[in-house]
C-alpha cells in the first residue's frame, strides 16, 4: 500500500526489526533469475502499487499517486491504459492524496481498480477492455482507504480490503451498494501509538475463500465463505510478517508469496504458517508493494473453462460463435486460436505429442522421452540446454529458453522510502518440487 511521505517515515524505518532469511530446503519453492524489466519515475507519482496479469504475460499496474493504470510487457515496454480523474481537495485517510490502489482483471479483459480520494469518488472504477474511459460503479465510504481488491467471478462479487477502517467490503460485480462483509479485531489496524494505523491490506480469493493481510498486526488471515455467501470465522494462518503488504498464491495449495514493504523483501509463507525470505534488496526490491504469479497451465485451464461457458450461451464480447449460424463470424485468427487451444490440450493430455512440423523434422514418431533417450535432435523450439519440455509458443511468450511449466513471479517496488532508487517491476522464475534451477 502507499505510505506517508518519506521524511515522515524516517523514525519508523529506524525502529523496524527486519526478518532473517534462512536457506531453502531441498524441494522447497525457490525463485531464480530475478531481473528488473521496467523502471518508473517516483517524482511524477509513478509508484507501482498493484498488479493484474494479462493472459499473454504482460502486467497491468496501478501507479498510485499518478492515478494511472499502465501495461508493461515482459521486455519492459510501458503502455498507458487509463488515468483516473483528478479530485479537488482530496483527503484520503492515512495518505492525504488521491491514489489508485488495487486492480483486478475479469476474464473478458475488463479492469477494475480501487480509487481512494476521501471524497464521493472513492470506490471501485471500471476500465473497459477497449480503452473506455474509467467509470465509477460503486461508491465506498469517504473515511475509508480501499486498498486490496479481489474478484470472485463465480459468485459475481468484489471484495475490498479497507485499510483505514479494518473492514472487508463486498460489492456486486455489476456495481452498487457495498456491504460490510467481514469485520473484527483481526482486520483492524492497531492504535496510533502502536502501529501505522494500517489494517486489512492485500486481499485474494483462493479455493473459494477470502484471504487478507493485516499490515499492523503482521498477519495473514483466511475467511471462509459460507454456502449463503456470508463470512465465516476469521482464521489467522501466519504471523510475524513485518510490514506485510500484498500477497499471491503460488498454486492450488496455500503456499503464499508476500511482500514485506519496509524490509525490502518477499517472503515465502508455507501452509503451516512458517516462512523464509526468497527475494531481497540485492535482487532489486525497493519497498515492494505487490506480487503476482503466472502459471501458463492455469491460463490454458481458464480458457477451457470460459470456452465451455460460451458453449452454454454465456458468451463474452470477444468469444467465437459457431459458424453454423450462417454469419461466418469466426475469422481466420479465431480458427488459429481454436486450433492452438486444442493443440495445447492435446499436449497436456498426451505429454508426448509434438506438432506435425516437429515430427517431419525429426523423421520419427517417438514421444519426447524416447527422443531424449535416443539423442535425437529437435527443432529450435525444444530446449536442449535446459532438458525441459517446451513448445514453440512458450518460447515466444518468454522470449528466452525457459521451462514451459515454470511459473513467472512479478513484484512491484514503489521506492516510497528509498530515495536513491527508482520504482520498478521485477520478474523472476518460480521453481517448485523437482523443477529446481
Amino acid at each position: 500500500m502507499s505510505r506517508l511521505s518519506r521524511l515522515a517515515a524516517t523514525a519508523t524505518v529506524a525502529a523496524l526489526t527486519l526478518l532473517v532469511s534462512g536457506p531453502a530446503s531441498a524441494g522447497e519453492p525457490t525463485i531464480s533469475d530475478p531481473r528488473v524489466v521496467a523502471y518508473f519515475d517516483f517524482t511524477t507519482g509513478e509508484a507501482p502499487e498493484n498488479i493484474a496479469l494479462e493472459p499473454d504475460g504482460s502486467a497491468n499496474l496501478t501507479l498510485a499517486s499518478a492515478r494511472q493504470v499502465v501495461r508493461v510487457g515482459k521486455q519492459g515496454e510501458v503502455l498507458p491504459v487509463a488515468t483516473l480523474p483528478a479530485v479537488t481537495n482530496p483527503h484520503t485517510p492515512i495518505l492525504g492524496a488521491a491514489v489508485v490502489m488495487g486492480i483486478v482483471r475479469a476474464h473478458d479483459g475488463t479492469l477494475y481498480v480501487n480509487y481512494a480520494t476521501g471524497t464521493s469518488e472513492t470506490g471501485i472504477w471500471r476500465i473497459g477492455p477497449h480503452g473506455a474511459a474509467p467509470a465509477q460503479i460503486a461508491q465506498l465510504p469517504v473515511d475509508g482507504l480501499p486498498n486490496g481488491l479481489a474478484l470472485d467471478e463465480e459468485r459475481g462479487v468484489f471484495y475490498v480490503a479497507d485499510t483505514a477502517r479494518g473492514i472487508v467490503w463486498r460489492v456486486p460485480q455489476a456495481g452498487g451498494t457495498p456491504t460490510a462483509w467481514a469485520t473484527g479485531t483481526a482486520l483492524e489496524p492497531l492504535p496510533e501509538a502502536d502501529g501505522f494505523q494500517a489494517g486489512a491490506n492485500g486481499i485474494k480469493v483462493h479455493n473459494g475463500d477470502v484471504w487478507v493481510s493485516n499490515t499492523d498486526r503482521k498477519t495473514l488471515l483466511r475467511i471462509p465463505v459460507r454456502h449463503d455467501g456470508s463470512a465465516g470465522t476469521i482464521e489467522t494462518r501466519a504471523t510475524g510478517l513485518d510490514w506485510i503488504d500484498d500477497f499471491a498464491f503460488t498454486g492450488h495449495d496455500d503456499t503464499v508469496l508476500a511482500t514485506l514493504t519496509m524490509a525490502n523483501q518477499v517472503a515465502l509463507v508455507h501452509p503451516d504458517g512458517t516462512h523464509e525470505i526468497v527475494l531481497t534488496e540485492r535482487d532489486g526490491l525497493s519497498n515492494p508493494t505487490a506480487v503476482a504469479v503466472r502459471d501458463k497451465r492455469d491460463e490454458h485451464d481458464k480458457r477451457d473453462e470460459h470456452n465451455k461457458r460460451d458453449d452454454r450461451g454465456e458468451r463474452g464480447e470477444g468469444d467465437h460463435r459457431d459458424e453454423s449460424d450462417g454469419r461466418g463470424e469466426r475469422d481466420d485468427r479465431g480458427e488459429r486460436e481454436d486450433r492452438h487451444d486444442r493443440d495445447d490440450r492435446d499436449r497436456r493430455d498426451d505429454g508426448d505429442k509434438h506438432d506435425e512440423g516437429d515430427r517431419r523434422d525429426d523423421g520419427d514418431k517417438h514421444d519426447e522421452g524416447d527422443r531424449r533417450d535416443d539423442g535425437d535432435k529437435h527443432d529450435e523450439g525444444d530446449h536442449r540446454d535446459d532438458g525441459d519440455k517446451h513448445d514453440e509458443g512458450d518460447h515466444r511468450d518468454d522470449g528466452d529458453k525457459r521451462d514451459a511449466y515454470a511459473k513467472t513471479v512479478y513484484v512491484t517496488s514503489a521506492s516510497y522510502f528509498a530515495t536513491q532508487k527508482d520504482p520498478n517491476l521485477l520478474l523472476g522464475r518460480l521453481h517448485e518440487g523437482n523443477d529446481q534451477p
Side-chain angles (χ1 to χ4, degrees):
M1 61 168 282
S2 298
R3 307 292 186 224
L4 293 173
S5 68
R6 301 175 183 185
L7 181 61
T10 302
T12 304
V13 175
L16 288 175
T17 302
L18 301 183
L19 297 175
V20 178
S21 174
S25 302
E28 290 186 347
T30 60
I31 297 176
S32 70
D33 297 336
R35 60 204 183 279
V36 173
V37 298
Y39 288 96
F40 301 91
D41 185 357
F42 185 88
T43 63
T44 62
E46 293 182 349
E49 172 61 27
N50 208 239
I51 309 170
L53 299 179
E54 291 287 329
D56 66 357
S58 57
N60 299 294
L61 309 182
T62 53
L63 303 182
S65 299
R67 313 187 322 277
Q68 293 178 344
V69 177
V70 298
R71 184 167 299 153
V72 183
K74 292 201 292 184
Q75 303 307 315
E77 62 276 19
V78 180
L79 299 174
V81 174
T83 300
L84 277 292
V87 174
T88 302
N89 298 321
H91 44 89
T92 306
I94 303 177
L95 306 174
V99 288
V100 58
M101 305 294 282
I103 182 170
V104 293
R105 179 188 187 276
H107 84 274
D108 65 357
T110 302
L111 299 175
Y112 300 88
V113 298
N114 281 336
Y115 191 28
T117 67
T119 70
S120 60
E121 282 79 12
T122 295
I124 301 175
W125 289 64
R126 179 178 58 224
I127 304 170
H130 303 298
Q136 188 175 15
I137 64 168
Q139 183 176 333
L140 291 164
V142 298
D143 61 346
L145 174 55
N147 196 336
L149 178 64
L151 171 60
D152 185 342
E153 290 195 87
E154 291 296 321
R155 293 182 177 271
V157 296
F158 295 104
Y159 297 97
V160 180
D162 187 331
T163 297
R165 299 185 60 177
I167 295 173
V168 173
W169 300 97
R170 177 169 162 153
V171 179
Q173 185 175 350
T177 304
T179 301
W181 181 74
T183 61
T185 302
L187 295 168
E188 295 172 356
L190 292 174
E192 184 174 2
D194 300 320
F196 186 69
Q197 292 185 287
N201 190 324
I203 190 166
K204 295 289 185 292
V205 175
H206 176 67
N207 291 337
D209 295 323
V210 176
W211 292 62
V212 185
S213 59
N214 186 315
T215 301
D216 272 1
R217 298 181 187 275
K218 311 175 185 180
T219 53
L220 181 63
L221 311 170
R222 172 180 173 268
I223 310 175
V225 180
R226 298 190 177 112
H227 291 299
D228 62 358
S230 63
T233 302
I234 300 174
E235 306 168 2
T236 299
R237 297 301 299 269
T239 61
L241 298 167
D242 287 354
W243 287 96
I244 184 173
D245 198 326
D246 191 35
F247 61 95
F249 290 89
T250 63
H252 296 294
D253 71 358
D254 294 342
T255 303
V256 164
L257 289 172
T259 55
L260 308 180
T261 299
M262 298 303 297
N264 294 320
Q265 296 172 336
V266 169
L268 179 74
V269 184
H270 298 284
D272 65 0
T274 61
H275 69 274
E276 70 252 359
I277 304 306
V278 291
L279 288 173
T280 69
E281 187 174 9
R282 291 189 298 273
D283 298 309
L285 301 184
S286 180
N287 303 137
T289 52
V291 59
V293 177
R294 177 180 181 244
D295 186 344
K296 297 182 186 69
R297 293 168 295 186
D298 286 344
E299 294 299 336
H300 295 318
D301 293 342
K302 289 176 184 177
R303 187 162 53 206
D304 291 345
E305 179 182 347
H306 292 306
N307 285 342
K308 291 177 181 178
R309 288 182 184 174
D310 294 341
D311 290 340
R312 293 194 299 267
E314 300 174 14
R315 289 180 166 87
E317 184 174 345
D319 296 325
H320 303 302
R321 291 172 173 83
D322 194 301
E323 292 181 1
S324 62
D325 62 6
R327 288 172 292 185
E329 293 179 7
R330 177 177 295 168
D331 60 12
D332 291 342
R333 189 178 72 172
E335 293 176 1
R336 288 195 299 272
E337 290 175 348
D338 288 346
R339 289 196 299 271
H340 179 70
D341 290 341
R342 290 194 296 270
D343 289 343
D344 284 343
R345 288 192 291 271
D346 290 341
R347 283 194 294 274
R348 288 199 306 273
D349 292 338
D350 297 339
D352 59 1
K353 294 183 181 178
H354 295 276
D355 61 30
E356 185 175 349
D358 292 334
R359 291 195 294 272
R360 286 199 302 267
D361 291 340
D362 295 339
D364 56 33
K365 298 289 180 68
H366 296 292
D367 63 17
E368 187 168 347
D370 292 336
R371 287 195 293 275
R372 286 201 303 270
D373 294 339
D374 295 341
D376 293 335
K377 295 183 178 179
H378 300 288
D379 64 12
E380 186 176 357
D382 296 322
H383 278 323
R384 291 189 297 269
D385 294 339
D386 292 344
D388 295 329
K389 299 177 182 178
H390 296 281
D391 67 279
E392 186 174 349
D394 291 325
H395 300 318
R396 286 195 298 268
D397 285 348
D398 289 348
D400 54 14
K401 296 181 177 181
R402 296 179 186 276
D403 179 4
Y405 292 112
K407 299 177 182 180
T408 305
V409 176
Y410 301 68
V411 185
T412 51
S413 288
S415 295
Y416 287 121
F417 309 111
T419 57
Q420 303 303 315
K421 296 184 178 181
D422 290 324
N424 64 65
L425 172 65
L426 176 147
L427 269 62
R429 290 183 73 195
L430 176 65
H431 305 270
E432 299 175 293
N434 294 326
D435 173 30
Q436 296 295 328

